[in-house]
């Protein structure tokens, strides 16, 4: 029992050797300099709608503060638990615009922790390799969808032919437009049937040709085609 108590006491009270001013400055300056590369990569690779100047500036302080906290905690478990208790009083309410911002925050966190532990080489390598990965993924358009999505609303007479829907599907296949029926309902005021389809294609000309051929159909009163963003407001 005494051996366990001694072990716990040594673990909780363990200290690093006293740090020199040079060590402290190095642990603060290096993550600050590396943050220039991270924020520059962030500005060049994220979508303009996602970019935030506050996020960019915050990453500088985030990596430096993380490095400082890692430095002062050292191998002292008591300090680590005390820090966790202090941080538990803070509630973070900031809503990030995109998951990629979370990745950049973890990137800054990793670089800061590495510099705080005096592991400067891994911090530099991770910064350079992380920037290379982001530019490489942007260059090859990884994850981008080249399809064009749209919502198609077709209004037809109540006395439509029995094979009306089959004809619509045949025309869409003819023009390389993949459509899927979403809903249909009866319009009492206009005495008509409304069909709603979701379309997907790789060329805008497919939608245009589909629209022209459908528009000439005598059984159709009108047809409207919206992109995904416009369909949210109809």
């Amino acid at each position: 029992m005494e051996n366990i108590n001694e072990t716990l006491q040594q673990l909780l009270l363990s200290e690093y050797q006293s740090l020199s001013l040079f060590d402290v400055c190095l642990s603060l300056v290096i993550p600050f300099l590396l943050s220039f590369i991270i924020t520059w990569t962030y500005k060049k690779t994220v979508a303009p709608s996602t970019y935030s100047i506050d996020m960019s500036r915050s990453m500088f302080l985030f990596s430096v503060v993380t490095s400082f906290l890692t430095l002062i905690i050292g191998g002292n478990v008591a300090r680590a638990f005390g820090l966790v208790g202090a941080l538990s009083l803070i509630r973070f309410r900031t809503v990030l615009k995109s998951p990629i911002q979370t990745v950049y925050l973890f990137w800054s966190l990793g670089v800061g922790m590495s510099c705080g532990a005096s592991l400067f080489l891994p911090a530099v390598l991770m910064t350079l390799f992380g920037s290379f990965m982001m530019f490489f993924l942007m260059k090859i358009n990884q994850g981008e969808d080249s399809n064009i999505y749209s919502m198609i609303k077709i209004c037809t007479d109540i006395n439509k032919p029995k094979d009306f829907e089959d004809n619509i599907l045949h025309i869409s296949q003819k023009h390389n437009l993949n459509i899927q029926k979403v809903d249909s309902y009866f319009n009492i005021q206009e005495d008509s049937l409304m069909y709603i389809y979701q379309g997907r294609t790789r060329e805008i000309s497919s939608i245009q040709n589909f629209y022209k051929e459908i528009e000439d159909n005598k059984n159709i009163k009108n047809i409207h085609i919206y992109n995904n963003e416009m369909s949210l407001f109809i």
Side-chain angles (χ1 to χ4, degrees), residues 166-190:
D166 293 334
N167 289 334
I168 295 295
L169 182 60
H170 174 73
I171 295 173
S172 67
Q173 293 175 346
K174 176 182 175 181
H175 297 292
N176 296 321
L177 176 63
N178 185 3
I179 64 173
Q180 183 178 5
K181 184 178 177 181
V182 178
D183 194 10
S184 63
Y185 58 89
F186 176 65
N187 191 327
I188 300 178
Q189 295 178 349
E190 299 181 3

Side-chain angles (χ1 to χ4, degrees), residues 11-202:
L11 181 63
L12 293 174
L13 299 179
S14 59
E15 298 277 354
Y16 276 137
Q17 295 179 352
S18 59
L19 298 171
S20 64
L21 180 61
F22 177 77
D23 293 332
V24 176
C25 292
L26 199 61
S27 297
L28 299 180
V29 173
I30 297 299
F32 176 75
L33 296 177
L34 294 179
S35 294
F36 277 100
I37 301 177
I38 298 176
T39 53
W40 179 74
T41 304
Y42 168 70
K43 181 178 180 180
K44 295 295 183 180
T45 56
V46 301
S49 59
T50 305
Y51 178 77
S52 170
I53 188 171
D54 291 333
M55 172 75 178
S56 179
R57 292 173 178 174
S58 296
M59 283 190 285
F60 281 95
L61 190 59
F62 191 64
S63 60
V64 173
V65 170
T66 302
S67 176
F68 177 72
L69 292 177
T70 305
L71 186 66
I72 62 174
I73 289 174
N76 192 304
V77 180
R79 288 182 186 174
F81 280 109
L83 180 63
V84 171
L87 293 178
S88 65
L89 300 177
I90 303 174
R91 301 184 64 183
F92 298 94
R93 298 177 180 269
T94 303
V95 178
L96 299 178
K97 294 182 179 180
S98 172
I100 194 65
Q101 292 186 335
T102 305
V103 175
Y104 275 95
L105 285 178
F106 273 102
W107 188 2
S108 301
L109 175 67
V111 170
M113 291 183 64
S114 181
C115 292
S118 299
L119 302 174
F120 300 112
L121 181 59
V124 173
L125 293 178
M126 183 57 212
T127 302
L128 297 178
F129 185 67
S131 298
F132 168 78
M133 284 193 300
M134 293 304 301
F135 280 107
F136 177 75
L137 294 175
M138 184 180 67
K139 183 68 175 179
I140 65 175
N141 296 325
Q142 173 64 26
E144 291 190 8
D145 191 352
S146 59
N147 291 313
I148 302 173
Y149 296 91
S150 59
M151 296 297 294
I152 305 171
K153 296 179 67 176
I154 301 176
C155 182
T156 181
D157 292 326
I158 189 65
N159 298 318
K160 63 179 178 60
K162 293 182 178 180
D163 59 348
F164 174 79
E165 294 186 50
D166 293 334
N167 289 334
I168 295 295
L169 182 60
H170 174 73
I171 295 173
S172 67
Q173 293 175 346
K174 176 182 175 181
H175 297 292
N176 296 321
L177 176 63
N178 185 3
I179 64 173
Q180 183 178 5
K181 184 178 177 181
V182 178
D183 194 10
S184 63
Y185 58 89
F186 176 65
N187 191 327
I188 300 178
Q189 295 178 349
E190 299 181 3
D191 193 26
S192 62
L193 281 172
M194 182 69 72
Y195 292 90
I196 302 177
Y197 295 90
Q198 184 178 40
R200 175 171 56 88
T201 183
R202 290 183 178 274

